[in-house]
């Protein structure tokens, strides 16, 4: 009987995966063979866990993970302890954190259907009661607590939908919310309160290369610019007050190619560089006493964790695997430093460093669908010279040669951002393509990627946009020259800005490629800038160019993939989310219609309940199965 019930459950789940969920718009995607669903299933049944915060009064971790359809918040009370779910929304939770000094109150952020109009809730942990703090309709992002836990600062586009004003609220009293600072632009964020709550540090992100740092008087809203404009743009981030408010700590690339930890003396504006790394300091956090600092350096994509005192003297550098490290969180007890870590052979999980002993403990161990993650391929870092002599790099994941002899097909996977970076992550579902189909995955970090210095980061701006596409041409030539890879079976795939790059690659190198998958990508820069959410438009103009300038308007029209869509004759699969506030779904729709008119095979998948990428488990699973069938038809054969 038990075996029959299990068989029935597996049959039902298989049938559900084979048929598209009702919320999906599907065109030209064929039904999946039943054996494909069964083969892929173990690769779908993995999960991850990310550290959100520590309980401020107990050694308990607040994590985000997914057991059902969407990611929710859970509490873990000890290393390896059970995960107790505490939020139960239909949509994913975007983040959460405890109120300082209060182990019973958590602030929760979530949106609806991926629309990114995040709302802030107060969760009473003992009772499970949820209280909406924000207005329920505008975009809001919680960003900083006062040290006494009285006030929460957040950015809100409530006033006009475009400008992210700074608000403060006592989460115990929704009516206490008030605007502390009115701004112009969509890149404003509060980062810290002074000890007496009279001042707030606020950053204004102008571009990936330029940030302004302000000191704001809470009572009057008066702001003082702390970082005057330089001839060379400077990026600042994560500004924090010192224990006595006399100094500030932040990362900055002023006078350096890379982000370093810097101390500024408020009285006279003098600065002292504390770290002297040859790579970016990606993240840092101060402990409760504000006398110790933990930070992560990004060393060719991998994370290295450091613990120092505020003078810069190294206290610890724990030996961690070749991995990606983020989500640094000091416990208020000063003994535990929590972080999230993932590698090619391990999904993202939560760990804690005991700074007294140097021991690292694993707090969560996420499941991998019954598969042995040691089977997963390790990334190989390769470098090559592009058309103008610039060195670019890529991570290459190769299938097992004994299992898959001969030259193997490859998929060139391009990150988004554009100021993103491919790192040696756990590949999740994509391990199926490597382990079971014998496809090599190539992840390039072309110019414009973060992690390689500010000069490299700015090399794709404005009229230099298509130099990144030429970099992809270099990677294609490298694939063709690799003796283990098949020069006649190359595909390209990318999401968001990587989706634009995928389409642009097809218009430039169509004859070199077998097929392409574009996920939530830009097809026309002019319609994108016209239709993207107002709070993002000016930020994107700094990166891509201002279409109101006639020369830039003509250039953006010229380089837009839609303009040259007739050159795409290879099979194309386009995926979009109806609620996408960044790249509207119409960007995908218009490239589908245009390429189809030219006669090329085009598959179309659009989720009515998703935004900038699929977040719900059933949608993700269907998307992956559809992509796998696409590769089976157009890349492998």
């Amino acid at each position: 009987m038990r075996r029959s019930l299990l068989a029935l459950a597996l049959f039902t789940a298989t049938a559900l995966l084979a048929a598209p969920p009702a919320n999906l718009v599907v065109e030209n995607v064929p039904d999946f063979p039943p054996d494909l669903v069964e083969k892929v299933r173990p690769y779908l049944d993995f999960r991850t866990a990310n550290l959100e915060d520590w309980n401020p009064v107990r050694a308990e971790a607040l994590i985000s993970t997914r057991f059902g359809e969407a990611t929710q918040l859970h509490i873990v009370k000890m290393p390896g302890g059970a995960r107790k779910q505490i939020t139960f929304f239909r949509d994913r939770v975007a983040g959460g954190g405890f109120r300082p000094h209060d182990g019973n109150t958590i602030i929760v952020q979530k949106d609806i259907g991926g629309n990114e109009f995040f709302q802030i809730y107060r969760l009473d942990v003992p009772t499970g009661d949820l209280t909406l703090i924000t207005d329920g309709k505008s975009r809001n992002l919680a960003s900083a607590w006062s040290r006494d836990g009285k006030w929460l600062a957040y950015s809100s586009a409530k006033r006009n939908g475009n400008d992210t004003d700074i608000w403060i609220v006592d989460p115990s009293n929704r009516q206490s919310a008030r605007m502390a600072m009115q701004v112009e632009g969509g890149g404003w964020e509060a980062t810290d309160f002074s000890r007496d709550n009279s001042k707030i540090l606020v950053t204004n992100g102008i571009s990936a290369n330029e940030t302004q740092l302000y000191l704001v008087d809470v009572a009057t809203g008066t702001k003082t610019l702390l970082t005057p404009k330089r001839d060379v743009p400077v990026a600042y981030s994560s500004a924090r007050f010192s224990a006595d408010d006399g100094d500030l700590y932040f990362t900055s690339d002023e006078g350096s190619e890379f982000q370093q930890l810097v101390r500024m003396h408020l009285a006279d504006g003098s600065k002292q560089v504390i770290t002297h790394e040859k790579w970016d300091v990606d993240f840092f956090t101060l402990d409760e006493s504000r006398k110790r600092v933990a930070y992560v350096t990004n060393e060719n994509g991998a994370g290295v964790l450091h613990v120092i005192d505020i003078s810069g003297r190294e206290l610890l550098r724990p030996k961690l695997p070749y991995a990606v490290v983020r989500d640094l969180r000091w416990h208020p007890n000063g003994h535990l430093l929590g972080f999230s870590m993932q590698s090619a052979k391990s999904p993202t999980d939560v760990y804690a460093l005991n700074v007294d002993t140097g021991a690292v403990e694993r707090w969560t161990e996420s499941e991998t669908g019954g598969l042995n993650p040691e089977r997963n391929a390790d990334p190989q870092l390769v470098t090559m010279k592009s058309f103008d002599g610039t060195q670019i790099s890529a991570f290459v994941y190769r299938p097992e040669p004994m299992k898959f002899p001969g030259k193997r097909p490859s998929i060139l996977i391009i990150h988004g951002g554009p100021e993103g970076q491919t790192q040696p992550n756990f590949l999740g579902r994509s391990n199926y393509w490597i382990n079971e189909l014998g496809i090599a995955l190539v992840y390039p970090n072309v110019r414009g990627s973060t992690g390689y210095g500010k000069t490299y980061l700015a090399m794709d701006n404005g009229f230099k946009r298509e130099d990144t596409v030429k970099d992809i041409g270099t990677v294609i030539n490298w694939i063709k020259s690799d003796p283990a890879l098949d020069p006649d079976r190359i595909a390209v795939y990318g999401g968001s800005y990587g989706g634009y790059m995928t389409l642009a690659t097809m218009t430039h190198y169509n004859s070199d490629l077998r097929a392409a998958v574009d996920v939530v990508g830009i097809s026309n820069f002019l319609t994108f800038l016209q239709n993207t959410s107002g709070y993002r438009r000016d930020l994107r103009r700094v990166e891509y160019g201002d279409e109101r300038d006639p020369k830039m308007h003509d250039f953006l029209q010229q380089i837009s993939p839609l303009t040259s869509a007739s050159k795409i004759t290879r099979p194309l699969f386009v995926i979009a989310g109806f609620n996408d506030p960044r790249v509207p779904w119409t960007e995908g729709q218009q490239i589908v219609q245009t390429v189809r008119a030219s006669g090329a095979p085009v598959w179309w998948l659009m989720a009515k309940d998703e935004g900038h990428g699929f977040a719900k488990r059933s949608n993700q699973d269907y998307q992956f199965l559809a992509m796998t069938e696409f590769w089976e038809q157009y890349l492998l054969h």
Side-chain angles (χ1 to χ4, degrees):
M1 178 69 175
R2 184 176 177 184
R3 187 173 297 172
S4 298
L5 288 173
L6 178 60
L8 177 62
L10 288 174
F11 174 81
T12 303
T14 299
L16 289 173
L17 279 176
N23 52 289
L24 297 182
V25 175
V26 180
E27 296 176 2
N28 293 345
V29 179
D31 293 336
F32 309 136
D35 63 330
L36 172 64
V37 178
E38 285 306 309
K39 290 175 184 175
V40 172
R41 179 184 301 284
Y43 288 88
L44 306 179
D45 289 334
F46 76 97
R47 62 171 51 92
T48 61
N50 292 274
L51 179 63
E52 297 289 338
D53 203 359
W54 289 107
N55 186 309
V57 298
R58 295 181 290 277
E60 299 176 358
L62 178 68
I63 70 165
S64 56
T65 189
R66 180 175 63 187
F67 277 80
E69 182 74 346
T71 297
Q72 303 295 330
L73 296 178
H74 297 67
I75 289 178
V76 179
K77 295 189 175 183
M78 65 186 74
R83 294 161 284 197
K84 179 182 177 182
Q85 188 170 338
I86 59 171
T87 62
F88 299 87
F89 295 105
R90 178 187 174 103
D91 291 286
R92 65 178 171 181
V93 170
F98 279 95
R99 188 172 195 167
H101 316 296
D102 181 354
N104 292 322
T105 302
I106 293 174
I107 293 298
V108 181
Q109 296 187 93
K110 68 168 291 292
D111 65 352
I112 297 175
N115 65 8
E116 299 186 15
F117 277 43
F118 298 104
Q119 303 304 316
I120 303 173
Y121 297 80
R122 184 184 76 245
L123 171 65
D124 183 82
V125 177
T127 66
D129 291 341
L130 273 165
T131 302
L132 178 66
I133 295 174
T134 46
D135 64 359
K137 53 187 179 182
S138 63
R139 175 182 166 86
N140 307 275
L141 290 173
S143 56
W145 280 105
S146 62
R147 279 178 256 184
D148 60 6
K150 172 68 174 175
W151 297 102
L152 175 70
Y154 62 99
S155 304
S156 178
K158 175 181 179 179
R159 179 169 53 87
N160 59 16
N162 298 330
D163 302 316
T164 51
D165 302 321
I166 305 300
W167 287 65
I168 62 171
V169 65
D170 173 356
S172 301
N173 175 17
R174 178 182 176 181
Q175 304 306 318
S176 67
R178 71 177 183 86
M179 188 191 299
M181 178 187 179
Q182 182 171 313
V183 303
E184 292 183 6
W188 296 83
E189 178 186 10
T191 63
D192 200 12
F193 281 81
S194 63
R195 192 169 45 172
D196 63 1
N197 298 340
S198 66
K199 302 287 192 300
I200 305 177
L201 289 174
V202 174
T203 56
N204 177 26
I206 297 171
S207 71
N209 288 91
E210 185 173 7
T211 318
Q212 296 170 330
L213 176 60
Y214 291 87
L215 186 65
V216 178
D217 185 284
V218 174
T220 66
T222 304
K223 64 181 186 291
T224 302
L225 180 62
L226 300 175
T227 53
K229 189 175 181 65
R230 308 290 184 186
D231 292 337
V232 177
V234 177
Y236 306 90
S237 69
S238 306
R240 299 289 186 273
F241 284 102
S242 63
D244 64 0
D245 292 347
D247 295 323
L248 304 181
Y249 295 93
F250 48 79
T251 61
S252 168
D253 58 11
E254 183 179 357
S256 170
E257 274 293 311
F258 297 98
Q259 290 282 318
Q260 302 293 338
L261 183 62
V262 176
R263 178 192 297 116
M264 173 190 279
H265 190 50
L266 268 177
D268 59 11
S270 59
K271 302 185 189 78
Q272 175 191 359
V273 179
I274 297 174
T275 59
H276 298 275
E277 303 287 352
K278 297 179 181 178
W279 302 94
D280 277 331
V281 173
D282 265 359
F283 314 101
F284 84 91
T285 181
L286 297 169
D287 73 352
E288 188 83 352
S289 70
R290 308 207 171 199
K291 294 182 179 178
R292 291 178 298 179
V293 183
Y295 67 92
V296 173
T297 47
N298 178 340
E299 304 190 6
N300 245 331
V304 178
L305 177 61
H306 309 252
V307 181
I308 62 175
D309 64 22
I310 55 173
S311 71
R313 180 173 62 94
E314 185 166 274
L315 303 176
L316 278 173
R317 187 183 299 189
K319 186 172 178 57
L320 300 176
Y322 184 75
V324 179
V325 180
R326 53 172 54 96
D327 302 331
L328 298 182
R329 303 284 189 276
W330 284 97
H331 193 283
N333 66 21
H335 303 296
L336 295 177
L337 173 67
F339 55 94
S340 305
M341 183 168 66
Q342 63 171 307
S343 68
K345 297 185 184 299
S346 178
T348 305
D349 269 312
V350 176
Y351 297 78
L353 167 68
N354 185 314
V355 294
D356 300 324
T357 67
V360 175
E361 284 191 293
R362 187 170 185 168
W363 276 63
T364 64
E365 188 165 357
S366 294
E367 295 81 358
T368 55
L371 299 168
N372 179 5
E374 290 300 317
R375 289 183 58 204
N376 296 340
D378 283 316
Q380 172 196 4
L381 180 65
V382 299
T383 59
M384 59 202 81
K385 290 287 183 68
S386 194
F387 68 96
D388 59 355
T390 299
Q391 179 172 286
I392 61 175
S393 63
F395 287 108
V396 182
Y397 296 77
R398 299 178 184 270
E400 173 55 50
M402 295 295 290
K403 183 177 180 180
F404 297 103
K407 290 181 178 290
R408 301 312 307 164
S410 59
I411 304 173
L412 206 166
I413 303 177
I414 309 173
H415 68 67
E419 314 92 347
Q421 181 190 24
T422 291
Q423 297 181 270
N425 295 316
F426 182 73
L427 298 185
R429 295 168 174 81
S430 299
N431 283 306
Y432 178 83
W433 298 339
I434 306 171
N435 296 341
E436 308 300 337
L437 300 184
I439 300 173
L441 304 185
V442 180
Y443 292 82
N445 280 312
V446 296
R447 69 190 68 203
S449 303
T450 58
Y452 306 97
K454 63 185 181 185
T455 300
Y456 194 81
L457 180 63
M459 289 180 74
D460 65 340
N461 288 357
F463 291 102
K464 298 178 286 186
R465 178 63 46 205
E466 286 202 321
D467 286 355
T468 59
V469 184
K470 294 177 183 176
D471 285 346
I472 296 298
T474 298
V475 181
I476 291 172
N477 288 333
W478 176 87
I479 292 172
K480 288 181 173 183
S481 69
D482 189 288
L485 302 180
D486 188 340
D488 297 320
R489 290 190 292 171
I490 306 171
V492 61
Y493 158 42
S496 189
Y497 178 76
Y500 153 72
M501 288 288 290
T502 294
L503 296 173
T505 297
M506 289 296 286
T507 65
H508 284 73
Y509 306 106
N510 178 82
S511 61
D512 296 311
L513 301 167
R514 291 283 291 269
V517 175
D518 157 34
V519 181
V520 299
I522 299 167
S523 62
N524 185 299
F525 282 109
L526 301 180
T527 55
F528 160 71
L529 289 168
Q530 176 184 340
N531 297 320
T532 192
S533 294
Y535 63 86
R536 303 185 73 252
R537 188 170 294 114
D538 285 342
L539 297 172
R540 295 297 83 195
R541 281 171 172 155
V542 174
E543 172 65 36
Y544 299 129
D546 191 334
E547 82 287 3
R548 295 168 297 185
D549 174 80
K551 288 185 178 179
M552 181 56 70
H553 181 282
D554 292 346
F555 175 74
L556 291 174
Q557 182 67 48
Q558 172 195 330
I559 70 169
S560 291
L562 192 65
T563 302
S564 303
S566 62
K567 297 179 181 178
I568 301 176
T569 62
R570 304 298 195 190
L572 175 66
F573 188 4
V574 179
I575 300 167
F578 183 74
N579 300 322
D580 193 338
R582 305 188 196 188
V583 180
W585 69 277
T586 49
E587 289 295 303
Q589 181 192 50
Q590 63 192 8
I591 195 71
V592 165
Q593 293 172 344
T594 305
V595 175
R596 275 183 183 163
S598 300
V602 181
W603 296 10
W604 169 243
L605 175 61
M606 193 268 285
K608 299 175 185 176
D609 59 346
E610 298 280 13
H612 198 61
F614 292 3
K616 294 182 173 66
R617 165 73 190 268
S618 57
N619 295 338
Q620 290 180 339
D621 288 353
Y622 185 86
Q623 175 188 332
F624 184 77
L625 284 163
M627 291 172 62
T628 300
E629 180 63 18
F630 185 78
W631 301 136
E632 289 265 18
Q633 290 196 22
Y634 296 117
L635 177 62
L636 294 183
H637 304 295

